[in-house]
Amino acid sequence: MYPENEIFREGLDELADHYKSILTLLGEDVTRDGLLKTPMRVAKAMQVLTRGYEMDAHKVLTDALFKEDYSQMVIVKDIDFFSLCEHHILPFYGKVHVAYIPNGYITGLSKIARVVDIYSHRLQVQERMTLQIRQCIEETLHPLGVMVVVEAKHMCMQMRGVEKQNSITTTSEFSGAFNQAKTRQEFMNLISHQKTL
């Protein structure tokens, strides 16, 4: 159920019509009770799941930018995310761990999670999403260093293809101070006691 004040993007009716055609091509009877409202439900769901295209991740960070002398590692870990793989439009989901070392400015901690939310609510590949999160923080906060680690399960590997249920894909992106192995290791040690997916 979507909130009454949910605002959907232009093209919703056209998107629903396309899903009606897709269901028909799959061999379904779109006039039966269970499917009458499905095309519109799917159209709304897809607009919600791709709402990141309408959002500016850089602005999210700059809206909560504070001058601060703190210059040690700031870590926001275990950020849950759900995204859609652009190859099969199937979900991939997991955790994102972000660290940055401020260079005169910090941002609100919840804003880091919002950046993850924005990039994950687009058609994605895990590698690009990892890079986009790192680049956004780097370009907006100009920190001494940024590191992002993403751990995810991919439904395209679980439901089709190789059908491997327990594989986890890990990607990382880092810059600045995190180019030093010692700093990267400190970050990895600090996130290593997390729960498994």
Side-chain angles (χ1 to χ4, degrees):
M1 188 61 111
Y2 299 101
E4 288 182 15
N5 61 351
E6 182 81 56
I7 298 172
F8 293 100
R9 304 197 298 274
E10 193 176 328
L12 185 65
D13 291 330
E14 187 179 355
L15 193 56
D17 286 341
H18 284 297
Y19 278 114
K20 189 173 181 179
S21 297
I22 288 168
L23 288 169
T24 302
L25 288 168
L26 290 173
E28 270 293 355
D29 174 9
V30 293
T31 64
R32 69 179 175 87
D33 284 348
L35 288 178
L36 282 174
K37 295 182 180 178
T38 297
M40 182 54 75
R41 287 191 193 106
V42 178
K44 287 180 176 179
M46 288 302 291
Q47 283 206 353
V48 170
L49 294 171
T50 59
R51 66 179 179 248
Y53 290 118
E54 302 291 304
M55 300 176 181
D56 183 346
H58 294 83
K59 187 175 186 309
V60 165
L61 292 179
T62 56
D63 282 351
L65 200 59
F66 308 103
K67 188 161 181 55
E68 194 62 57
D69 290 334
Y70 186 80
S71 60
Q72 299 302 311
M73 204 180 296
V74 176
I75 299 174
V76 184
K77 69 175 198 168
D78 294 332
I79 303 168
D80 291 312
F81 81 92
F82 297 88
S83 192
L84 290 173
C85 168
E86 67 180 31
H87 298 144
H88 300 100
I89 320 293
L90 287 173
F92 68 99
Y93 61 95
K95 306 272 187 193
V96 178
H97 316 286
V98 177
Y100 74 97
I101 300 173
N103 186 20
Y105 290 90
I106 61 170
T107 189
L109 296 176
S110 68
K111 304 307 179 184
I112 300 293
R114 290 274 293 133
V115 168
V116 171
D117 188 59
I118 288 169
Y119 288 116
S120 64
H121 280 79
R122 299 177 182 185
L123 298 184
Q124 278 289 11
V125 294
Q126 183 175 333
E127 297 87 344
R128 182 196 310 127
M129 187 180 84
T130 308
L131 174 63
Q132 287 174 329
I133 294 166
R134 194 266 295 163
Q135 285 178 329
C136 177
I137 295 167
E138 189 171 34
E139 292 167 3
T140 309
L141 300 182
H142 306 291
L144 298 175
V146 183
M147 185 162 179
V148 178
V149 173
V150 179
E151 299 172 296
K153 289 189 173 185
H154 292 250
M155 297 302 282
C156 59
M157 286 183 67
Q158 294 177 304
M159 295 175 66
R160 55 162 301 283
V162 294
E163 296 186 9
K164 299 302 178 194
Q165 306 307 311
N166 299 308
S167 63
I168 296 174
T169 301
T170 303
T171 50
S172 66
E173 271 287 336
F174 52 86
S175 65
F178 289 96
N179 283 311
Q180 298 174 23
K182 182 180 176 183
T183 309
R184 285 199 309 278
Q185 190 57 53
E186 180 185 349
F187 173 55
M188 297 305 290
N189 289 343
L190 288 167
I191 68 170
S192 65
H193 60 84
Q194 72 213 22
K195 299 174 186 175
T196 56
L197 289 171

